[in-house]
Amino acid sequence: MPGKRKRVRIAWTAAALATLATLTTAALTPAPATATGPRQAGSYDIQRCGNTSNRVLLTFDDWSYDNSKRAVQVGEYLQGKGIRAAFFLINEYASQYPGTVDTLRRQGHYVGNHTWSHPHLPQLSEQEVRTEISKGVASTLLRPPYGDFGERETRIAAELGYRMCTWTIDTLDWDGPGGSRTASQIRAAVKDAPAADKRGGVVLGHLFTRYPDVLPDIIGDLRGQGYTFCRNTGATTRNIPAVLKC
Ligand SMILES: [Zn+2]
């Protein structure tokens, strides 16, 4: 759907300009718009990242640029709730804090690849795409920055041992003054999402927004609606299975 893809890009550019105008220290890396790639690869559902359970998988992208410990703090909170989440860290930042990835995995979370420097992969050469993925967090799941990918990126990722992973619910948490929507907007984006996107779904949010702050409300809302979360069954490894253990 080339027409749709173009519209998405234009929307993102306007949003980016608005966001960049108000940025201070947060959000050095802009956040995703709408995933542009295919949704299905054989029986593997790219939007659900291998989550074939009925449980909700919470995901956390990028990095918290003013607090290097935020990922680990979020991981600890969720572990305490018995919840397994997935983190897709920009390795250009995460690699400056060795031990972060291992700690998250010890906490029982999946940690996937979000490339080295968060580029639009389709705008790069084949070799540049390979380098961006190869220098990312070593794993078997790749979340393409901005959800921007096509057949070439899917092929290269597969050659490097990765499955693509996007989302069913986009909180659009980055889309507000200072690089974040309000807590109530983020909460509503999840609570009011269609049931089909929640059951067995994948929620996208970012470490640099108010999304982590509103987790207690999101968890309470969804549990109140009868949903459950991916269960934390202990430490994980870099090899995230094609069928997630949720
Ligand atoms: Zn990202």
Side-chain angles (χ1 to χ4, degrees), residues 5 36-38 122 149-159 164:
R5 183 179 181 123
T36 56
F149 72 105
E151 288 181 14
R152 183 192 66 155
E153 292 71 40
T154 304
R155 170 181 57 77
I156 297 170
E159 288 169 6
M164 288 291 186

Side-chain angles (χ1 to χ4, degrees), residues 32 61-62 114 118 145 206:
D61 281 16
D62 293 7
H114 200 39
H118 209 271
H206 296 81

Side-chain angles (χ1 to χ4, degrees), residues 4 19 26-27 59 87 99-100 123 132 139 141 165 186 191 216 233:
K4 184 180 180 189
T19 301
T59 69
F87 292 78
T100 302
Q123 297 176 9
E132 277 288 338
S139 177
L141 267 192
C165 163
I186 296 170
K191 186 179 182 183
T233 56

Side-chain angles (χ1 to χ4, degrees), residues 31-54:
T34 302
T36 56
R39 295 183 167 192
Q40 197 89 20
S43 61
Y44 175 76
D45 186 334
I46 291 170
Q47 289 184 295
R48 292 177 196 269
C49 309
N51 179 16
T52 60
S53 74
N54 284 324

Side-chain angles (χ1 to χ4, degrees), residues 47-49 56-62 74 78 84-88 110 141 143 165-169 171 173 201-207 211-212 215 244:
Q47 289 184 295
R48 292 177 196 269
C49 309
V56 178
L57 178 68
L58 299 171
T59 69
F60 300 82
D61 281 16
D62 293 7
V74 169
L78 292 171
R84 166 172 291 154
F87 292 78
F88 296 92
Y110 291 129
L141 267 192
R143 175 163 279 168
C165 163
T166 58
W167 54 82
T168 62
I169 298 172
T171 62
D173 55 335
V202 175
V203 180
L204 166 67
H206 296 81
L207 288 165
Y211 169 61
L215 278 177
L244 300 187

Side-chain angles (χ1 to χ4, degrees), residues 183-243:
S184 60
Q185 287 175 317
I186 296 170
R187 181 178 181 179
V190 181
K191 186 179 182 183
D192 300 338
D197 292 343
K198 284 188 276 201
R199 193 163 302 285
V202 175
V203 180
L204 166 67
H206 296 81
L207 288 165
F208 62 80
T209 71
R210 295 190 184 95
Y211 169 61
D213 301 329
V214 80
L215 278 177
D217 293 323
I218 290 174
I219 292 167
D221 287 342
L222 291 195
R223 283 183 171 162
Q225 290 175 331
Y227 298 98
T228 56
F229 290 86
C230 187
R231 298 165 300 178
N232 194 317
T233 56
T236 71
T237 70
R238 58 187 278 177
N239 294 311
I240 301 174
V243 174

Side-chain angles (χ1 to χ4, degrees), residues 23 25-31 61-71 88-101 104 111 114-119 132 135-137 145-146 206-208:
L23 281 186
T25 57
L28 295 176
T29 305
D61 281 16
D62 293 7
W63 190 252
S64 182
Y65 308 101
D66 56 356
N67 180 358
S68 66
K69 294 187 170 62
R70 196 162 202 204
F88 296 92
L89 306 178
I90 300 172
N91 210 20
E92 185 176 13
Y93 302 106
S95 63
Q96 296 175 31
Y97 300 90
T100 302
V101 171
L104 290 170
V111 187
H114 200 39
T115 74
W116 171 254
S117 69
H118 209 271
E132 277 288 338
K135 289 176 70 179
V137 173
Y146 315 96
H206 296 81
L207 288 165
F208 62 80

